[in-house]
Amino acid sequence: MAEQVDVKKELKLENEVCPYTFVKSKLAIEQLVTGEVLRIHLGNSESAANVPRSLDLEGHEVLTVDRIEPSHWVVDVRRS
Amino acid sequence: MIAIAGIALGLLLGFALQRGGYCMNTAFRSFYLEKDRSLVRAWVLVLIINIIGVTLFTDLGILSPLVAPFFWPAAIIGGFVFGVGMVVAGGCASGTYYRCGRGMLGSIAALVGFVIGTALTDGGALTPLQQGLRSYTLPVGAGDATLFGLLGIEAAWLRWGVILVLAAVAGLWLARSPKQKFLVGWSWQRTGLFVGLAAFAAWLLSAMQGREFGLSFTQPTVALTRFLVGGDSSGISAASFMVIGVPVGAFLAAKAAGEAVLRMPDPKRFVRQFGGGITMGLGASIAGGCNIGHSITGMSTLGLTAIVSTVFIILGCWVATGVIYRIEKKHMEEQMRLAMADIASGGETV
Protein backbone atom coordinates (compact mmCIF):
# COMPACT_ATOMS: atom_id res chain seq x y z
CA MET A 1 0.00 0.00 0.00
CA ALA A 2 1.02 3.56 -0.69
CA GLU A 3 0.91 4.57 3.00
CA GLN A 4 3.71 2.20 3.94
CA VAL A 5 6.08 3.71 1.40
CA ASP A 6 8.64 6.17 2.74
CA VAL A 7 8.20 9.01 0.26
CA LYS A 8 11.33 11.13 -0.09
CA LYS A 9 9.95 13.81 -2.40
CA GLU A 10 6.50 14.78 -3.66
CA LEU A 11 5.65 16.56 -6.90
CA LYS A 12 2.28 18.26 -7.40
CA LEU A 13 1.72 18.35 -11.16
CA GLU A 14 -2.09 18.13 -11.41
CA ASN A 15 -2.40 21.39 -13.34
CA GLU A 16 0.79 20.91 -15.33
CA VAL A 17 0.89 20.03 -19.04
CA CYS A 18 3.26 18.03 -21.18
CA PRO A 19 6.24 18.13 -21.58
CA TYR A 20 6.61 19.60 -18.07
CA THR A 21 5.02 16.60 -16.34
CA PHE A 22 7.66 14.18 -17.60
CA VAL A 23 10.56 16.68 -17.55
CA LYS A 24 9.94 17.61 -13.90
CA SER A 25 9.39 13.97 -12.88
CA LYS A 26 12.58 12.82 -14.61
CA LEU A 27 14.69 15.62 -13.11
CA ALA A 28 13.21 15.07 -9.65
CA ILE A 29 13.83 11.33 -9.57
CA GLU A 30 17.39 11.80 -10.80
CA GLN A 31 18.07 13.93 -7.72
CA LEU A 32 17.16 11.06 -5.40
CA VAL A 33 19.54 8.24 -4.51
CA THR A 34 18.87 4.62 -5.43
CA GLY A 35 15.95 3.15 -3.51
CA GLU A 36 14.30 6.43 -2.56
CA VAL A 37 10.68 7.01 -3.63
CA LEU A 38 9.21 9.93 -5.57
CA ARG A 39 5.46 10.54 -5.35
CA ILE A 40 3.95 12.34 -8.37
CA HIS A 41 0.44 13.82 -8.53
CA LEU A 42 -0.98 14.01 -12.06
CA GLY A 43 -4.24 15.49 -13.32
CA ASN A 44 -4.98 13.93 -16.69
CA SER A 45 -5.13 10.49 -18.29
CA GLU A 46 -2.35 11.12 -20.84
CA SER A 47 0.15 12.02 -18.13
CA ALA A 48 -1.06 9.19 -15.90
CA ALA A 49 -0.17 6.75 -18.69
CA ASN A 50 2.88 8.42 -20.22
CA VAL A 51 4.78 9.42 -17.08
CA PRO A 52 4.84 5.97 -15.41
CA ARG A 53 5.50 4.23 -18.73
CA SER A 54 8.42 6.52 -19.57
CA LEU A 55 9.92 6.33 -16.07
CA ASP A 56 9.62 2.53 -16.24
CA LEU A 57 11.48 2.55 -19.56
CA GLU A 58 14.17 4.75 -17.95
CA GLY A 59 14.74 1.81 -15.61
CA HIS A 60 13.00 3.07 -12.47
CA GLU A 61 10.53 0.91 -10.54
CA VAL A 62 6.93 2.13 -10.71
CA LEU A 63 5.39 0.94 -7.43
CA THR A 64 1.79 2.11 -7.79
CA VAL A 65 -0.47 4.15 -10.04
CA ASP A 66 -3.58 5.04 -8.01
CA ARG A 67 -6.55 6.98 -9.34
CA ILE A 68 -7.68 8.64 -6.11
CA GLU A 69 -10.18 10.95 -7.83
CA PRO A 70 -11.67 10.89 -11.36
CA SER A 71 -8.95 13.25 -12.58
CA HIS A 72 -6.25 12.82 -9.96
CA TRP A 73 -3.65 10.10 -10.22
CA VAL A 74 -0.87 9.40 -7.70
CA VAL A 75 2.23 7.61 -8.94
CA ASP A 76 4.94 6.22 -6.65
CA VAL A 77 8.29 5.50 -8.29
CA ARG A 78 11.46 4.08 -6.76
CA ARG A 79 14.77 5.46 -8.07
CA SER A 80 16.84 2.77 -9.76
CA MET B 1 -26.33 16.81 -44.65
CA ILE B 2 -22.71 17.98 -44.95
CA ALA B 3 -23.00 19.70 -41.57
CA ILE B 4 -24.31 16.53 -39.91
CA ALA B 5 -21.63 14.37 -41.51
CA GLY B 6 -18.93 16.85 -40.44
CA ILE B 7 -20.15 17.07 -36.86
CA ALA B 8 -20.49 13.27 -36.65
CA LEU B 9 -16.93 12.80 -37.88
CA GLY B 10 -15.69 15.42 -35.40
CA LEU B 11 -17.52 13.73 -32.51
CA LEU B 12 -15.98 10.35 -33.34
CA LEU B 13 -12.53 11.81 -33.85
CA GLY B 14 -12.68 13.86 -30.65
CA PHE B 15 -13.79 10.78 -28.74
CA ALA B 16 -10.90 8.73 -30.17
CA LEU B 17 -8.31 11.48 -29.54
CA GLN B 18 -9.36 11.79 -25.89
CA ARG B 19 -9.57 8.03 -25.24
CA GLY B 20 -6.26 7.40 -26.95
CA GLY B 21 -4.54 10.51 -25.56
CA TYR B 22 -3.49 11.02 -29.16
CA CYS B 23 -1.28 14.09 -29.10
CA MET B 24 1.23 14.31 -31.94
CA ASN B 25 3.36 16.75 -29.96
CA THR B 26 3.93 13.88 -27.51
CA ALA B 27 4.61 11.47 -30.37
CA PHE B 28 7.18 13.74 -32.04
CA ARG B 29 8.81 14.72 -28.74
CA SER B 30 9.20 11.12 -27.63
CA PHE B 31 11.96 10.46 -30.19
CA TYR B 32 14.00 13.07 -28.37
CA LEU B 33 13.04 12.86 -24.71
CA GLU B 34 11.33 9.59 -23.86
CA LYS B 35 11.89 5.94 -24.65
CA ASP B 36 8.16 5.27 -25.04
CA ARG B 37 7.10 4.97 -28.69
CA SER B 38 3.39 4.18 -28.19
CA LEU B 39 2.04 7.33 -29.85
CA VAL B 40 4.61 7.13 -32.66
CA ARG B 41 3.25 3.64 -33.33
CA ALA B 42 -0.32 4.97 -33.41
CA TRP B 43 0.80 7.64 -35.94
CA VAL B 44 2.58 5.05 -38.12
CA LEU B 45 -0.58 2.92 -38.13
CA VAL B 46 -2.63 5.98 -39.18
CA LEU B 47 -0.17 6.56 -42.03
CA ILE B 48 -0.22 2.93 -43.23
CA ILE B 49 -4.05 2.96 -43.37
CA ASN B 50 -4.17 6.29 -45.19
CA ILE B 51 -1.30 5.86 -47.66
CA ILE B 52 -2.72 2.53 -48.82
CA GLY B 53 -6.34 3.75 -48.74
CA VAL B 54 -5.70 7.01 -50.60
CA THR B 55 -3.51 5.39 -53.26
CA LEU B 56 -6.06 2.63 -53.81
CA PHE B 57 -9.02 5.00 -54.08
CA THR B 58 -7.05 7.31 -56.36
CA ASP B 59 -6.26 4.39 -58.66
CA LEU B 60 -9.94 3.42 -58.61
CA GLY B 61 -10.84 6.95 -59.71
CA ILE B 62 -12.81 7.77 -56.54
CA LEU B 63 -10.30 10.33 -55.20
CA SER B 64 -8.11 12.85 -56.97
CA PRO B 65 -6.11 14.28 -54.05
CA LEU B 66 -5.02 17.87 -54.01
CA VAL B 67 -1.22 18.00 -53.54
CA ALA B 68 0.42 21.26 -52.43
CA PRO B 69 3.09 22.71 -54.74
CA PHE B 70 6.58 22.25 -53.33
CA PHE B 71 6.97 25.66 -51.62
CA TRP B 72 9.96 24.46 -49.63
CA PRO B 73 10.91 27.69 -47.77
CA ALA B 74 7.35 28.00 -46.41
CA ALA B 75 7.37 24.30 -45.46
CA ILE B 76 10.73 24.60 -43.66
CA ILE B 77 10.08 27.87 -41.80
CA GLY B 78 6.36 27.30 -41.18
CA GLY B 79 6.95 23.72 -40.04
CA PHE B 80 9.71 24.72 -37.61
CA VAL B 81 7.68 27.62 -36.16
CA PHE B 82 4.68 25.33 -35.76
CA GLY B 83 6.85 22.71 -34.02
CA VAL B 84 8.19 25.22 -31.50
CA GLY B 85 4.69 26.66 -30.98
CA MET B 86 3.00 23.34 -30.22
CA VAL B 87 5.47 22.57 -27.41
CA VAL B 88 4.86 25.94 -25.77
CA ALA B 89 1.10 25.64 -26.40
CA GLY B 90 1.03 22.31 -24.56
CA GLY B 91 -0.34 20.35 -27.51
CA CYS B 92 -0.51 20.17 -31.30
CA ALA B 93 -3.45 21.63 -33.23
CA SER B 94 -5.69 18.58 -32.82
CA GLY B 95 -4.37 18.03 -29.28
CA THR B 96 -5.31 21.58 -28.34
CA TYR B 97 -8.82 21.16 -29.80
CA TYR B 98 -9.59 17.99 -27.87
CA ARG B 99 -8.08 19.22 -24.60
CA CYS B 100 -10.34 22.26 -24.77
CA GLY B 101 -13.28 19.85 -24.67
CA ARG B 102 -11.91 18.26 -21.51
CA GLY B 103 -11.76 21.61 -19.74
CA MET B 104 -8.05 22.44 -19.81
CA LEU B 105 -8.13 26.24 -19.71
CA GLY B 106 -4.54 26.56 -20.91
CA SER B 107 -5.53 24.73 -24.10
CA ILE B 108 -8.48 27.09 -24.55
CA ALA B 109 -5.97 29.98 -24.38
CA ALA B 110 -3.82 28.13 -26.93
CA LEU B 111 -6.83 27.65 -29.23
CA VAL B 112 -7.70 31.36 -29.08
CA GLY B 113 -4.05 32.06 -29.93
CA PHE B 114 -4.19 29.56 -32.81
CA VAL B 115 -7.30 31.27 -34.22
CA ILE B 116 -5.56 34.67 -34.02
CA GLY B 117 -2.30 33.37 -35.50
CA THR B 118 -3.99 31.69 -38.47
CA ALA B 119 -6.27 34.67 -39.13
CA LEU B 120 -3.27 37.05 -39.04
CA THR B 121 -1.22 35.06 -41.51
CA ASP B 122 -3.95 33.73 -43.79
CA GLY B 123 -5.90 36.75 -45.02
CA GLY B 124 -4.81 39.13 -42.24
CA ALA B 125 -2.02 41.64 -41.80
CA LEU B 126 0.76 39.05 -42.09
CA THR B 127 -0.53 37.55 -45.35
CA PRO B 128 2.43 38.99 -47.35
CA LEU B 129 4.74 36.85 -45.19
CA GLN B 130 2.76 33.73 -46.08
CA GLN B 131 2.51 34.63 -49.76
CA GLY B 132 6.16 35.69 -49.96
CA LEU B 133 7.45 32.43 -48.50
CA ARG B 134 5.09 30.40 -50.65
CA SER B 135 6.15 32.12 -53.86
CA TYR B 136 9.35 30.06 -54.02
CA THR B 137 8.33 26.72 -55.41
CA LEU B 138 10.50 24.00 -56.81
CA PRO B 139 9.05 22.26 -59.87
CA VAL B 140 9.09 18.49 -59.40
CA GLY B 141 8.93 16.46 -62.61
CA ALA B 142 5.79 16.50 -64.68
CA GLY B 143 3.20 15.41 -62.13
CA ASP B 144 2.35 16.35 -58.55
CA ALA B 145 5.05 17.29 -56.03
CA THR B 146 5.10 13.88 -54.38
CA LEU B 147 7.80 11.35 -53.59
CA PHE B 148 6.81 9.55 -56.79
CA GLY B 149 7.12 12.76 -58.82
CA LEU B 150 10.59 13.30 -57.34
CA LEU B 151 11.69 9.76 -58.14
CA GLY B 152 10.06 9.90 -61.58
CA ILE B 153 7.88 6.89 -60.80
CA GLU B 154 4.76 6.76 -62.95
CA ALA B 155 3.94 3.09 -63.41
CA ALA B 156 1.27 1.87 -61.00
CA TRP B 157 3.12 -1.36 -60.17
CA LEU B 158 6.22 0.59 -59.20
CA ARG B 159 4.22 2.95 -56.98
CA TRP B 160 2.56 0.02 -55.27
CA GLY B 161 5.96 -1.64 -54.93
CA VAL B 162 7.33 1.36 -53.02
CA ILE B 163 4.20 1.64 -50.85
CA LEU B 164 4.10 -2.05 -49.97
CA VAL B 165 7.80 -2.07 -49.05
CA LEU B 166 7.29 0.99 -46.82
CA ALA B 167 4.18 -0.58 -45.27
CA ALA B 168 5.97 -3.91 -44.73
CA VAL B 169 8.92 -2.25 -42.94
CA ALA B 170 6.55 -0.15 -40.80
CA GLY B 171 4.28 -3.15 -40.15
CA LEU B 172 7.22 -5.28 -39.05
CA TRP B 173 8.33 -2.57 -36.62
CA LEU B 174 4.78 -2.36 -35.22
CA ALA B 175 4.49 -6.13 -34.93
CA ARG B 176 7.68 -6.27 -32.84
CA SER B 177 6.43 -3.66 -30.34
CA PRO B 178 6.76 -4.50 -26.67
CA LYS B 179 3.57 -4.80 -24.63
CA GLN B 180 2.25 -1.37 -23.66
CA LYS B 181 2.38 -1.08 -19.87
CA PHE B 182 0.53 1.33 -17.56
CA LEU B 183 -2.36 1.73 -19.95
CA VAL B 184 -5.02 4.37 -19.21
CA GLY B 185 -7.59 4.60 -22.00
CA TRP B 186 -7.04 3.05 -25.42
CA SER B 187 -4.01 1.08 -26.59
CA TRP B 188 -1.94 2.53 -29.45
CA GLN B 189 -3.37 -0.13 -31.78
CA ARG B 190 -6.97 0.89 -31.19
CA THR B 191 -6.11 4.60 -31.22
CA GLY B 192 -4.20 4.31 -34.50
CA LEU B 193 -7.01 2.29 -36.07
CA PHE B 194 -9.78 4.74 -35.10
CA VAL B 195 -7.85 7.92 -35.91
CA GLY B 196 -6.69 6.30 -39.17
CA LEU B 197 -10.25 5.39 -40.18
CA ALA B 198 -11.51 8.86 -39.21
CA ALA B 199 -8.78 10.46 -41.34
CA PHE B 200 -9.70 8.23 -44.26
CA ALA B 201 -13.40 8.99 -43.82
CA ALA B 202 -12.47 12.68 -44.03
CA TRP B 203 -10.92 12.06 -47.46
CA LEU B 204 -14.17 10.50 -48.70
CA LEU B 205 -16.27 13.24 -47.14
CA SER B 206 -14.23 16.01 -48.75
CA ALA B 207 -14.26 14.19 -52.11
CA MET B 208 -18.07 14.25 -51.95
CA GLN B 209 -17.84 18.04 -51.75
CA GLY B 210 -15.19 18.32 -54.44
CA ARG B 211 -12.48 19.62 -52.11
CA GLU B 212 -10.30 16.52 -52.49
CA PHE B 213 -8.31 16.97 -49.30
CA GLY B 214 -8.57 14.84 -46.19
CA LEU B 215 -8.57 15.65 -42.51
CA SER B 216 -7.25 19.10 -41.61
CA PHE B 217 -7.53 21.64 -38.80
CA THR B 218 -5.85 24.78 -40.11
CA GLN B 219 -7.98 25.59 -43.17
CA PRO B 220 -11.27 24.80 -41.39
CA THR B 221 -10.23 26.98 -38.45
CA VAL B 222 -9.51 29.92 -40.77
CA ALA B 223 -12.76 29.33 -42.68
CA LEU B 224 -14.77 29.17 -39.47
CA THR B 225 -13.18 32.38 -38.13
CA ARG B 226 -13.90 34.21 -41.39
CA PHE B 227 -17.50 33.09 -41.27
CA LEU B 228 -18.09 33.81 -37.57
CA VAL B 229 -16.23 37.12 -37.49
CA GLY B 230 -16.54 38.40 -41.05
CA GLY B 231 -19.68 36.72 -42.35
CA ASP B 232 -17.80 35.15 -45.25
CA SER B 233 -19.08 31.59 -45.64
CA SER B 234 -17.14 30.75 -48.82
CA GLY B 235 -14.63 28.48 -47.04
CA ILE B 236 -17.15 26.59 -44.93
CA SER B 237 -17.19 22.83 -45.55
CA ALA B 238 -17.80 19.62 -43.63
CA ALA B 239 -14.33 20.15 -42.11
CA SER B 240 -15.47 23.36 -40.39
CA PHE B 241 -18.22 21.40 -38.68
CA MET B 242 -15.73 18.64 -37.92
CA VAL B 243 -13.51 20.98 -35.86
CA ILE B 244 -16.57 21.96 -33.80
CA GLY B 245 -17.39 18.30 -33.22
CA VAL B 246 -13.89 17.40 -31.93
CA PRO B 247 -13.98 19.23 -28.57
CA VAL B 248 -17.58 18.06 -28.05
CA GLY B 249 -16.62 14.42 -28.73
CA ALA B 250 -13.63 14.77 -26.41
CA PHE B 251 -15.86 16.27 -23.72
CA LEU B 252 -18.26 13.32 -23.97
CA ALA B 253 -15.40 10.81 -23.75
CA ALA B 254 -13.88 12.65 -20.78
CA LYS B 255 -17.26 13.09 -19.08
CA ALA B 256 -18.00 9.37 -19.36
CA ALA B 257 -14.62 8.65 -17.74
CA GLY B 258 -15.16 11.29 -15.05
CA GLU B 259 -12.23 13.27 -16.42
CA ALA B 260 -14.00 16.42 -17.66
CA VAL B 261 -12.68 18.91 -15.12
CA LEU B 262 -11.81 22.58 -15.47
CA ARG B 263 -8.06 22.86 -14.90
CA MET B 264 -6.17 26.12 -14.64
CA PRO B 265 -2.39 26.07 -15.08
CA ASP B 266 -0.34 28.65 -13.18
CA PRO B 267 -0.72 32.16 -14.70
CA LYS B 268 2.70 32.13 -16.37
CA ARG B 269 1.98 28.85 -18.12
CA PHE B 270 -1.47 30.10 -19.16
CA VAL B 271 0.04 33.13 -20.91
CA ARG B 272 2.77 30.99 -22.49
CA GLN B 273 0.20 28.55 -23.84
CA PHE B 274 -1.63 31.50 -25.42
CA GLY B 275 1.64 32.67 -27.02
CA GLY B 276 2.38 29.10 -28.13
CA GLY B 277 -1.04 29.00 -29.80
CA ILE B 278 -0.33 32.20 -31.77
CA THR B 279 3.08 30.81 -32.82
CA MET B 280 1.48 27.55 -33.87
CA GLY B 281 -1.10 29.48 -35.91
CA LEU B 282 1.57 31.52 -37.70
CA GLY B 283 3.55 28.37 -38.53
CA ALA B 284 0.53 26.39 -39.73
CA SER B 285 -0.65 29.20 -42.00
CA ILE B 286 2.81 29.69 -43.50
CA ALA B 287 3.40 25.96 -44.05
CA GLY B 288 -0.16 25.40 -45.27
CA GLY B 289 -1.01 22.83 -42.63
CA CYS B 290 -0.47 21.47 -39.15
CA ASN B 291 0.35 18.08 -37.66
CA ILE B 292 -2.87 16.77 -39.21
CA GLY B 293 -3.02 18.53 -42.60
CA HIS B 294 0.64 17.80 -43.33
CA SER B 295 1.72 14.96 -41.06
CA ILE B 296 -1.32 12.76 -41.69
CA THR B 297 -3.30 13.94 -44.72
CA GLY B 298 -0.48 15.37 -46.87
CA MET B 299 1.72 12.42 -46.01
CA SER B 300 -0.96 9.98 -47.18
CA THR B 301 -0.26 11.26 -50.71
CA LEU B 302 3.50 11.23 -49.94
CA GLY B 303 3.51 14.94 -50.84
CA LEU B 304 6.93 16.59 -50.59
CA THR B 305 5.67 19.76 -48.88
CA ALA B 306 3.97 17.56 -46.28
CA ILE B 307 7.08 15.44 -45.73
CA VAL B 308 9.41 18.48 -45.42
CA SER B 309 6.94 20.30 -43.15
CA THR B 310 6.65 17.24 -40.92
CA VAL B 311 10.44 16.92 -40.64
CA PHE B 312 10.69 20.57 -39.58
CA ILE B 313 7.70 20.33 -37.21
CA ILE B 314 9.60 17.51 -35.50
CA LEU B 315 12.86 19.53 -35.42
CA GLY B 316 11.05 22.56 -33.97
CA CYS B 317 9.49 20.30 -31.34
CA TRP B 318 12.91 18.89 -30.36
CA VAL B 319 14.58 22.31 -30.13
CA ALA B 320 11.78 23.74 -27.94
CA THR B 321 11.70 20.63 -25.75
CA GLY B 322 15.49 20.76 -25.36
CA VAL B 323 15.35 24.39 -24.26
CA ILE B 324 12.58 23.64 -21.74
CA TYR B 325 14.53 20.66 -20.39
CA ARG B 326 17.66 22.76 -19.84
CA ILE B 327 15.73 25.61 -18.20
CA GLU B 328 13.93 23.20 -15.85
CA LYS B 329 17.18 21.40 -15.03
CA LYS B 330 18.93 24.66 -14.14
CA HIS B 331 15.94 25.72 -12.07
CA MET B 332 15.92 22.46 -10.13
CA GLU B 333 19.69 22.55 -9.51
CA GLU B 334 19.34 26.11 -8.23
CA GLN B 335 16.59 25.05 -5.81
CA MET B 336 18.74 22.14 -4.66
CA ARG B 337 21.70 24.45 -4.02
CA LEU B 338 19.52 26.84 -2.02
CA ALA B 339 18.16 23.97 0.05
CA MET B 340 21.69 22.68 0.71
CA ALA B 341 22.87 26.16 1.69
CA ASP B 342 19.90 26.42 4.02
CA ILE B 343 20.74 23.13 5.73
CA ALA B 344 24.40 24.09 5.99
CA SER B 345 23.70 27.48 7.60
CA GLY B 346 21.04 25.90 9.84
CA GLY B 347 23.64 23.40 11.04
CA GLU B 348 25.98 26.17 12.17
CA THR B 349 23.45 28.10 14.24
CA VAL B 350 21.99 25.12 16.09
Side-chain angles (χ1 to χ4, degrees), chain B residues 16-248:
Chain B
L17 293 175
Q18 164 64 26
R19 277 294 144 89
Y22 186 74
C23 179
M24 291 179 70
N25 177 29
T26 311
F28 292 161
R29 182 190 69 224
S30 72
F31 287 109
Y32 171 79
L33 189 65
E34 291 116 321
K35 295 190 174 78
D36 177 26
R37 299 280 175 273
S38 302
L39 288 172
V40 178
R41 293 189 171 97
W43 177 47
V44 168
L45 184 55
V46 170
L47 286 180
I48 294 177
I49 292 170
N50 280 273
I51 292 173
I52 292 177
V54 169
T55 309
L56 183 66
F57 275 56
T58 305
D59 282 2
L60 292 173
I62 299 167
L63 286 177
S64 47
L66 197 71
V67 177
F70 190 32
F71 38 70
W72 57 275
I76 289 174
I77 295 170
F80 190 84
V81 169
F82 181 86
V84 170
M86 73 179 182
V87 175
V88 183
C92 54
S94 48
T96 296
Y97 262 100
Y98 87 75
R99 286 183 182 135
C100 284
R102 191 168 70 204
M104 293 181 82
L105 297 170
S107 291
I108 293 179
L111 182 60
V112 173
F114 185 67
V115 165
I116 295 172
T118 49
L120 269 177
T121 324
D122 195 342
L126 294 178
T127 308
L129 181 67
Q130 179 207 46
Q131 297 301 322
L133 285 168
R134 285 206 200 167
S135 62
Y136 301 95
T137 58
L138 206 63
V140 181
D144 284 332
T146 64
L147 192 62
F148 299 125
L150 184 71
L151 299 174
I153 294 175
E154 280 175 36
W157 69 270
L158 213 53
R159 268 192 296 124
W160 276 104
V162 171
I163 287 171
L164 292 177
V165 168
L166 284 176
V169 171
L172 205 65
W173 180 64
L174 293 183
R176 292 168 44 134
S177 312
K179 195 175 166 353
Q180 197 178 6
K181 288 154 93 179
F182 307 105
L183 202 59
V184 180
W186 287 0
S187 65
W188 66 260
Q189 290 95 333
R190 186 189 286 199
T191 308
L193 184 66
F194 274 78
V195 175
L197 292 177
F200 189 61
W203 273 106
L204 301 179
L205 194 59
S206 70
M208 281 162 58
Q209 302 173 89
R211 187 168 171 253
E212 304 289 330
F213 194 72
L215 198 63
S216 64
F217 277 78
T218 310
Q219 188 278 336
T221 301
V222 175
L224 202 58
T225 312
R226 278 188 196 155
F227 172 61
L228 293 175
V229 179
D232 169 15
S233 65
S234 61
I236 295 290
S237 64
S240 320
F241 294 99
M242 187 277 296
V243 297
I244 299 173
V246 166
V248 180

